[in-house]
Amino acid sequence: MAFGFFIHRSDSIYDDTPAERYQFPPQYLSRVRACIGNWIVYYEPRKVPGTRGYFAVAEVDQVVVDPSAPGVYLALIEPGSYLDFPNPVPFADVDGAVIERGVLNEAGRISGRA
């Protein structure tokens, strides 16, 4: 089992409903499967105007092929497990430094593969 971060933005090309499902491409399949039965943290990318940063948690129940979209998968969220944070947690401190260094990739950037 692993803990994970799911990137979500309201203008995404993916058909996400954070409390129910997270749609993702095949390159993330092994990472998302490792989260089954465990908790993930949702966050909005810094590119989103007025980003909420880290905004919720949920438990991943299962991963399935998306029957409505070829070539993508769905992480199904355990019903009732989705919890919005009362106060979203920002990415960076007042100086702009990323608070959680563990989400940075080798280049020192936040990415979906980090």
Side-chain angles (χ1 to χ4, degrees):
M1 284 197 260
F3 295 100
F5 292 89
F6 285 3
I7 301 168
H8 174 75
R9 55 187 297 166
S10 58
D11 62 350
S12 173
I13 62 168
Y14 295 103
D15 185 21
D16 298 335
T17 302
E20 298 173 11
R21 68 184 178 276
Y22 181 77
Q23 188 182 55
F24 62 96
Q27 65 261 36
Y28 302 121
L29 181 58
S30 65
R31 291 186 174 115
V32 175
R33 278 189 174 150
C35 295
I36 293 172
N38 221 329
W39 293 85
I40 56 88
V41 176
Y42 280 104
Y43 77 90
E44 275 183 333
R46 293 198 290 183
K47 296 175 186 174
V48 173
T51 184
R52 295 178 288 172
Y54 304 95
F55 65 89
V57 295
E59 185 179 357
V60 178
D61 181 43
Q62 60 181 309
V63 174
V64 299
V65 173
D66 188 334
S68 65
V72 295
Y73 295 86
L74 294 172
L76 302 179
I77 302 303
E78 177 69 33
S81 72
Y82 176 87
L83 300 168
D84 272 316
F85 294 162
N87 299 305
V89 179
F91 289 114
D93 61 20
V94 293
D95 297 322
V98 174
I99 295 169
E100 179 50 60
R101 309 276 311 155
V103 300
L104 301 179
N105 63 17
E106 300 82 26
R109 302 176 150 245
I110 295 174
S111 78
R113 296 184 185 194

